[in-house]
Amino acid sequence: MKNRKFITVILPLVAVCGLILLNALKSDPPLKHRNIADNAGLTLPAGFTGTALITGIGSARHIAVTPQGNIYVKINKLKNGKGIVVLHDSGDKAEVVSSFGDFAGTGMYIKNGYLYASSDENVYRFKLDAKNEVINPEHPETIVSGLISRHEHEAKAILLDNAGNLYVNIGAYSNSCQVKDRQKGSMGQKGCPILDSAAGIWQFKADKLNQHYSDGVRYATGLRNVMGMDWNYQDNQLFVMQHGRDQLHDIFPEIFDQKQSSLLPAECLYAINKGDNAGWPYIYYDQIQHKKVLAPEYGGDGKKAGGENAIDPAAAYPGHLAPNGLLFYTGNQFPAKYKNGAFIAFHGSWNRAPEPQAGYFVVFQPFKNGKPDGQWEIFANGFSGSQAQTESGRAEHRPCGLAQGADGSLYVSDDSKGTIYKITYKK
Amino acid sequence: MRVKIIVSCVLMMLMYAGVQAQVKHKAKPKAKHATTGLAASIAKGKTVYMQTCVSCHQVDGGGVQNMNPPLINTTYVLGDKTKLITIVLNGFNESVEIEGNTYSNTMPSHDFLKDEDIANVLTFVRNSFGNKAPAVTTAEVTKVRAAVKKT
């Protein structure tokens, strides 16, 4: 008995410990490579450094950075009754300066001396002083109110151009415009009525108060839900990232298996001209067949092409990765190849289960003359914590908003743990 | 650094010995009754779950942050069976709040599932992810479906 215990218990332990000790003795790694926390847990291309400036500030959605080093963060779930947090970046850490705004939401943008912010129904603005600080945090001006928010895709991403316009995403309150949302086998509504008031980008005047739907223009339609948008000044054009539809398998199991459903459809980058239609809900883009495919709700079989009137994406990415932030990089800090290219923050998937989840990273998409040019690559990875956390979807951090600092640093928000990352480059 | 490693090795040894001791005290595994009513219902329910619920509520039943609620120790899962069965039959779109979080997605009706499948999947959910609650029977689902239809 004693002998057995020695063999089954003591011996393996001695062996394991011996191995650990041996390893520790022979390979104390050089300091430089030892700590992944060096980059706040992020994996970045050579020469880049990642820093977690602060954590625990709440569900940090979109962000805006001032030349004075303040970071305005829009919070999606009120914290101490406030929905905007102001941080000051002192280089390798940030401190909370103040918080204000009694509305939760996603959109945050600075333009022409104003801080614009959105709730799920309204867009507000706050006047900034010469130091880009909010003058009267208690009294925002209401720019737009009464936008649709119906229990799905409520968040209103916002953007301003140089011509005095405000762009607002109004997401579809539906997955695929079925008669019964997300129900197995339910077919698409004829002449999808959602498109009248949602599933598109609306354009409003940036400086006119109290606007409603009737004051706006439906600038682009057939976009199921857009979180990441930015203006490309090389081509003077709006670019948006669409969240593609969910649940091909759940709804049409006889056409799509779970594996196909986890990869399709693509998350698409669109270059938008006024009046464009991207085709939702009638079609989706299949990045494997490289074509617009008729949605099964409208008679599709996973192969039939559709969407003759719909624009093609400028670039397509794997399904369900949830692009929540888009930023054209115009700074000079990063190497030349990044200039005028696009960073895309992928929040990470959920609709791939039971297949492994994916995403939770920031992608770089090279551009040339205002158009995508070449293969996208993962720029910043490791937000989830580990491969296992990526695959289970139980990610530690989830990238959401992007902003560029005056010195060309890249800021990334995380709405899961409320971390703000700063990514810098040194030759 | 090295001291730490040696200390943790000793700790590991102690822990391992502890685990071994515990294992010893445990009773022999019960004879397998894989076909008892409950075990069979849970097994069949898992198949239904992995086809129809998993994409929203996830493999671990933990749901999706801000979108789909967890099915772990909620009052809906562990509570009144009639209400629970109704959620699956009719779908649910009432902005449930669980531990201060709300979920902005739609749970569709699953009335296309057979009574037996609904009984099994709910029995599986009520006995998985750390949940422990009595099984749901096919007869109970049949009764609720009839009542729901009338209204």
Side-chain angles (χ1 to χ4, degrees), chain A residues 20-38, chain B residues 1-2 5:
Chain A
I20 293 175
L21 275 172
L22 211 75
N23 253 317
L25 289 175
K26 77 162 192 251
S27 63
D28 244 1
L31 255 178
K32 250 168 103 183
H33 304 289
R34 192 158 59 189
N35 196 351
I36 53 156
D38 275 352
Chain B
M1 179 69 192
R2 304 221 164 113
I5 287 175

Side-chain angles (χ1 to χ4, degrees), chain A residues 164-187:
Chain A
N165 296 306
L166 163 71
Y167 300 85
V168 185
N169 160 68
I170 307 177
Y173 44 94
S174 168
N175 174 39
S176 51
C177 208
Q178 292 169 280
V179 172
K180 289 192 171 158
D181 187 27
R182 296 183 188 262
Q183 183 142 329
K184 182 179 171 188
S186 172
M187 297 307 278

